[in-house]
Amino acid sequence: MNFTLSKRSWGLLAAMFLLNLAVMSGAITGIIPDLLRMLAAVGALVSIGVDWRQSRLG
């Protein structure tokens, strides 16, 4: 089993990291960045799950 993350997974993880960094530093506030963080986190989990499934199937 050779598990690697796709570009989509890396992109979603990077987006989640940058959004978390911006919100935690106080650069952006409000409900929209929080919703975007949640969307990026769910997307990253789903994308990693798809990558893992693909690696298991061959």
Coordinates of all heavy atoms in Angstrom, one line a residue:
M1 N 0.8 -1.2 0.0 CA 0.0 0.0 0.0 C 0.9 1.2 0.0 O 1.7 1.4 0.9 CB -0.9 0.0 1.2 CG -1.9 1.1 1.3 SD -3.1 1.0 2.6 CE -2.1 1.7 4.0
N2 N 0.8 2.1 -1.0 CA 1.6 3.3 -1.2 C 0.6 4.5 -1.0 O 0.0 4.9 -2.0 CB 2.3 3.3 -2.5 CG 3.3 4.4 -2.6 OD1 3.6 5.0 -1.6 ND2 3.8 4.6 -3.8
F3 N 0.6 5.0 0.2 CA -0.4 6.1 0.4 C 0.3 7.5 0.2 O 1.3 7.8 0.8 CB -0.9 6.0 1.9 CG -1.8 7.2 2.2 CD1 -3.1 7.2 1.7 CD2 -1.4 8.1 3.1 CE1 -3.9 8.3 2.0 CE2 -2.3 9.2 3.5 CZ -3.5 9.2 2.9
T4 N -0.2 8.3 -0.7 CA 0.2 9.7 -0.9 C -1.0 10.6 -0.9 O -2.1 10.2 -1.4 CB 1.0 9.8 -2.2 OG1 0.2 9.4 -3.3 CG2 2.3 9.0 -2.2
L5 N -0.8 11.8 -0.5 CA -1.8 12.8 -0.6 C -1.9 13.5 -1.9 O -0.8 13.7 -2.5 CB -1.6 13.9 0.5 CG -1.8 13.5 2.0 CD1 -1.5 14.6 2.9 CD2 -3.2 13.0 2.2
S6 N -3.1 13.7 -2.4 CA -3.2 14.4 -3.7 C -3.0 15.9 -3.6 O -2.9 16.4 -2.4 CB -4.6 14.1 -4.3 OG -5.6 14.7 -3.4
K7 N -2.9 16.5 -4.7 CA -2.7 18.0 -4.7 C -3.9 18.7 -4.0 O -3.8 19.7 -3.4 CB -2.5 18.5 -6.1 CG -1.2 18.2 -6.6 CD -1.0 18.7 -8.0 CE 0.3 18.3 -8.6 NZ 0.5 18.8 -10.0
R8 N -5.1 18.1 -4.2 CA -6.3 18.7 -3.6 C -6.3 18.6 -2.1 O -6.6 19.6 -1.4 CB -7.6 17.9 -4.1 CG -8.9 18.4 -3.6 CD -10.1 17.6 -4.0 NE -9.9 16.2 -3.8 CZ -10.0 15.2 -4.7 NH1 -10.4 15.5 -5.9 NH2 -9.8 14.0 -4.3
S9 N -5.8 17.5 -1.6 CA -5.7 17.3 -0.1 C -4.7 18.3 0.4 O -4.9 18.9 1.5 CB -5.3 15.9 0.2 OG -6.2 15.0 -0.1
W10 N -3.5 18.4 -0.2 CA -2.5 19.4 0.2 C -3.0 20.8 0.2 O -2.8 21.6 1.1 CB -1.2 19.3 -0.6 CG -0.4 18.1 -0.2 CD1 -0.1 17.0 -0.9 CD2 0.3 17.9 1.1 NE1 0.7 16.2 -0.3 CE2 1.0 16.7 1.0 CE3 0.4 18.6 2.2 CZ2 1.7 16.2 2.0 CZ3 1.1 18.1 3.3 CH2 1.8 16.9 3.2
G11 N -3.8 21.1 -0.9 CA -4.4 22.5 -1.0 C -5.4 22.8 0.1 O -5.4 23.9 0.7
L12 N -6.2 21.8 0.4 CA -7.2 22.0 1.5 C -6.5 22.1 2.8 O -6.9 22.9 3.7 CB -8.2 20.9 1.5 CG -9.2 21.0 0.3 CD1 -10.0 19.6 0.2 CD2 -10.2 22.1 0.5
L13 N -5.5 21.3 3.1 CA -4.8 21.4 4.3 C -4.1 22.8 4.4 O -4.1 23.4 5.5 CB -3.8 20.3 4.4 CG -4.4 18.9 4.7 CD1 -3.3 17.8 4.6 CD2 -5.0 18.9 6.1
A14 N -3.5 23.3 3.3 CA -2.8 24.6 3.3 C -3.9 25.7 3.6 O -3.6 26.6 4.4 CB -2.1 24.8 2.0
A15 N -5.0 25.6 2.9 CA -6.1 26.6 3.1 C -6.5 26.6 4.6 O -6.7 27.7 5.2 CB -7.3 26.3 2.2
M16 N -6.7 25.4 5.2 CA -7.1 25.3 6.6 C -6.1 26.0 7.5 O -6.4 26.7 8.4 CB -7.4 23.9 6.9 CG -8.0 23.7 8.3 SD -8.5 22.0 8.6 CE -6.9 21.1 8.5
F17 N -4.8 25.7 7.2 CA -3.7 26.2 8.0 C -3.7 27.7 7.9 O -3.6 28.4 8.9 CB -2.4 25.6 7.6 CG -1.2 26.3 8.3 CD1 -0.9 25.9 9.6 CD2 -0.4 27.2 7.6 CE1 0.2 26.5 10.2 CE2 0.7 27.8 8.2 CZ 1.0 27.4 9.5
L18 N -3.8 28.3 6.7 CA -3.7 29.7 6.5 C -4.9 30.4 7.1 O -4.8 31.5 7.8 CB -3.6 30.1 5.1 CG -2.2 29.7 4.4 CD1 -2.3 29.9 2.9 CD2 -1.1 30.4 5.1
L19 N -6.1 29.8 7.0 CA -7.3 30.4 7.6 C -7.2 30.4 9.1 O -7.6 31.4 9.8 CB -8.6 29.7 7.2 CG -9.1 30.1 5.8 CD1 -10.1 29.0 5.3 CD2 -9.7 31.4 5.8
N20 N -6.7 29.3 9.7 CA -6.5 29.2 11.1 C -5.5 30.2 11.6 O -5.7 30.9 12.6 CB -6.1 27.8 11.5 CG -7.2 26.8 11.6 OD1 -8.3 27.2 11.9 ND2 -6.9 25.6 11.4
L21 N -4.4 30.4 10.9 CA -3.4 31.4 11.2 C -4.0 32.8 11.2 O -3.8 33.6 12.1 CB -2.3 31.3 10.3 CG -1.0 32.0 10.6 CD1 -0.4 31.5 11.9 CD2 0.0 31.9 9.5
A22 N -4.8 33.1 10.2 CA -5.3 34.5 10.1 C -6.4 34.7 11.2 O -6.4 35.8 11.8 CB -6.0 34.7 8.7
V23 N -7.2 33.8 11.5 CA -8.2 33.9 12.5 C -7.6 34.0 13.9 O -7.9 34.9 14.7 CB -9.3 32.8 12.5 CG1 -10.2 32.8 13.7 CG2 -10.1 32.9 11.2
M24 N -6.6 33.2 14.2 CA -6.0 33.1 15.5 C -5.1 34.4 15.7 O -5.0 34.9 16.9 CB -5.0 31.9 15.6 CG -5.8 30.6 15.5 SD -6.7 30.2 17.0 CE -5.5 29.4 17.9
S25 N -4.6 35.0 14.7 CA -3.8 36.2 14.9 C -4.7 37.5 15.0 O -4.2 38.5 15.3 CB -2.8 36.4 13.7 OG -3.5 36.7 12.5
G26 N -6.0 37.3 14.7 CA -6.9 38.4 14.7 C -6.9 39.3 13.5 O -7.6 40.3 13.5
A27 N -6.3 38.8 12.4 CA -6.3 39.5 11.2 C -7.7 39.6 10.5 O -8.0 40.6 9.9 CB -5.3 38.9 10.2
I28 N -8.4 38.5 10.7 CA -9.8 38.5 10.1 C -10.7 38.0 11.2 O -10.4 37.2 12.1 CB -9.9 37.7 8.9 CG1 -9.4 36.2 9.1 CG2 -9.3 38.3 7.7 CD1 -9.6 35.3 7.9
T29 N -11.9 38.5 11.3 CA -12.9 38.1 12.3 C -14.3 38.0 11.6 O -14.5 38.4 10.5 CB -13.1 39.2 13.4 OG1 -13.4 40.4 12.8 CG2 -11.8 39.3 14.2
G30 N -15.2 37.3 12.2 CA -16.5 37.1 11.7 C -16.9 35.7 11.5 O -16.1 34.8 11.8
I31 N -18.1 35.5 11.1 CA -18.6 34.2 10.9 C -18.2 33.5 9.6 O -18.0 32.3 9.5 CB -20.2 34.2 11.0 CG1 -20.8 32.7 11.1 CG2 -20.8 34.9 9.9 CD1 -20.5 32.1 12.3
I32 N -17.9 34.3 8.6 CA -17.6 33.8 7.3 C -16.2 33.0 7.3 O -16.1 31.9 6.8 CB -17.5 34.9 6.2 CG1 -18.9 35.5 6.0 CG2 -17.1 34.3 4.9 CD1 -20.0 34.6 5.6
P33 N -15.2 33.6 7.9 CA -13.9 32.9 8.1 C -14.1 31.6 8.9 O -13.4 30.6 8.5 CB -13.0 33.8 8.7 CG -13.5 35.2 8.5 CD -15.0 35.0 8.4
D34 N -14.9 31.6 9.9 CA -15.1 30.4 10.7 C -15.8 29.3 9.8 O -15.5 28.1 9.9 CB -16.0 30.7 11.9 CG -15.2 31.5 12.9 OD1 -14.0 31.4 12.9 OD2 -15.9 32.2 13.7
L35 N -16.8 29.7 9.0 CA -17.4 28.8 8.1 C -16.5 28.2 7.1 O -16.5 27.0 6.7 CB -18.6 29.4 7.4 CG -19.8 29.7 8.4 CD1 -20.9 30.5 7.6 CD2 -20.4 28.5 9.0
L36 N -15.6 29.1 6.6 CA -14.6 28.7 5.6 C -13.6 27.7 6.2 O -13.2 26.7 5.6 CB -13.9 29.9 5.0 CG -14.6 30.7 4.0 CD1 -13.8 31.9 3.6 CD2 -15.1 29.9 2.8
R37 N -13.2 27.9 7.5 CA -12.3 27.0 8.2 C -13.0 25.6 8.3 O -12.4 24.6 8.1 CB -12.0 27.5 9.5 CG -11.0 28.6 9.6 CD -10.4 28.9 10.9 NE -11.4 29.0 11.9 CZ -11.1 29.0 13.2 NH1 -9.9 29.0 13.7 NH2 -12.1 29.2 14.1
M38 N -14.3 25.6 8.7 CA -15.0 24.4 8.9 C -15.1 23.7 7.5 O -15.0 22.4 7.5 CB -16.4 24.7 9.5 CG -17.0 23.5 10.1 SD -18.5 23.9 11.1 CE -19.3 25.1 10.2
L39 N -15.4 24.4 6.5 CA -15.5 23.8 5.1 C -14.2 23.2 4.7 O -14.2 22.1 4.1 CB -16.0 24.8 4.1 CG -16.3 24.4 2.7 CD1 -17.5 23.4 2.7 CD2 -16.6 25.5 1.8
A40 N -13.1 23.9 4.9 CA -11.8 23.4 4.5 C -11.4 22.2 5.3 O -10.9 21.2 4.8 CB -10.7 24.5 4.7
A41 N -11.8 22.1 6.6 CA -11.5 21.0 7.4 C -12.3 19.8 7.0 O -11.7 18.7 6.8 CB -11.8 21.3 8.9
V42 N -13.6 19.9 6.7 CA -14.4 18.8 6.3 C -13.9 18.3 4.9 O -13.8 17.1 4.6 CB -15.9 19.2 6.2 CG1 -16.7 18.1 5.5 CG2 -16.4 19.4 7.7
G43 N -13.6 19.3 4.0 CA -13.1 18.9 2.7 C -11.8 18.2 2.7 O -11.6 17.2 2.0
A44 N -10.9 18.6 3.6 CA -9.6 17.9 3.8 C -9.8 16.5 4.3 O -9.2 15.6 3.8 CB -8.7 18.7 4.7
L45 N -10.7 16.3 5.3 CA -10.9 15.0 5.8 C -11.5 14.1 4.7 O -11.1 12.9 4.6 CB -11.9 15.0 7.0 CG -11.3 15.6 8.3 CD1 -12.4 15.7 9.3 CD2 -10.2 14.6 8.8
V46 N -12.5 14.6 3.9 CA -13.1 13.8 2.9 C -12.0 13.5 1.8 O -11.9 12.3 1.3 CB -14.3 14.5 2.2 CG1 -14.7 13.8 1.0 CG2 -15.4 14.6 3.2
S47 N -11.2 14.4 1.4 CA -10.2 14.2 0.4 C -9.1 13.2 0.8 O -8.7 12.4 0.0 CB -9.6 15.6 0.0 OG -8.6 15.4 -1.0
I48 N -8.7 13.3 2.1 CA -7.7 12.3 2.6 C -8.4 11.0 2.6 O -7.7 10.0 2.3 CB -7.2 12.8 4.0 CG1 -6.4 14.0 3.8 CG2 -6.5 11.7 4.7 CD1 -6.0 14.7 5.2
G49 N -9.6 10.9 3.0 CA -10.3 9.6 3.0 C -10.4 9.0 1.6 O -10.2 7.8 1.4
V50 N -10.7 9.8 0.6 CA -10.7 9.4 -0.8 C -9.3 8.9 -1.2 O -9.2 7.8 -1.9 CB -11.2 10.5 -1.7 CG1 -11.0 10.1 -3.2 CG2 -12.7 10.7 -1.4
D51 N -8.3 9.7 -0.9 CA -6.9 9.3 -1.2 C -6.5 7.9 -0.6 O -5.9 7.1 -1.2 CB -5.9 10.3 -0.8 CG -6.1 11.6 -1.6 OD1 -6.7 11.6 -2.6 OD2 -5.5 12.6 -1.1
W52 N -6.9 7.8 0.7 CA -6.6 6.5 1.4 C -7.4 5.3 0.8 O -6.8 4.3 0.5 CB -7.1 6.7 2.9 CG -6.8 5.4 3.7 CD1 -5.6 5.0 4.1 CD2 -7.8 4.5 4.0 NE1 -5.8 3.8 4.8 CE2 -7.1 3.5 4.8 CE3 -9.2 4.4 3.9 CZ2 -7.8 2.4 5.3 CZ3 -9.8 3.3 4.4 CH2 -9.1 2.3 5.1
R53 N -8.6 5.6 0.4 CA -9.4 4.5 -0.3 C -8.8 4.1 -1.6 O -8.7 2.9 -1.9 CB -10.8 4.9 -0.5 CG -11.7 3.9 -1.0 CD -13.2 4.3 -0.9 NE -14.0 3.2 -1.4 CZ -14.5 3.1 -2.6 NH1 -14.1 3.9 -3.6 NH2 -15.2 2.1 -3.0
Q54 N -8.4 5.1 -2.4 CA -7.7 4.8 -3.7 C -6.5 4.0 -3.5 O -6.1 3.1 -4.3 CB -7.4 6.1 -4.4 CG -8.7 6.8 -4.9 CD -9.4 6.0 -6.0 OE1 -8.9 5.0 -6.5 NE2 -10.6 6.5 -6.4
S55 N -5.7 4.3 -2.4 CA -4.4 3.6 -2.2 C -4.7 2.2 -1.8 O -4.0 1.3 -2.1 CB -3.6 4.3 -1.2 OG -4.1 4.2 0.1
R56 N -5.8 2.0 -1.1 CA -6.2 0.6 -0.7 C -6.6 -0.2 -1.9 O -6.4 -1.4 -1.9 CB -7.3 0.6 0.4 CG -6.9 1.3 1.6 CD -6.6 0.5 2.8 NE -7.5 -0.6 3.0 CZ -7.2 -1.6 3.7 NH1 -6.0 -1.6 4.4 NH2 -8.0 -2.6 3.9
L57 N -7.3 0.4 -2.8 CA -7.9 -0.3 -4.0 C -6.8 -0.6 -5.0 O -7.0 -1.4 -5.9 CB -9.0 0.5 -4.6 CG -10.2 0.6 -3.8 CD1 -11.3 1.5 -4.5 CD2 -10.9 -0.7 -3.4
G58 N -5.7 0.2 -4.9 CA -4.6 -0.1 -5.9 C -4.5 1.0 -6.8 O -4.1 1.4 -7.6

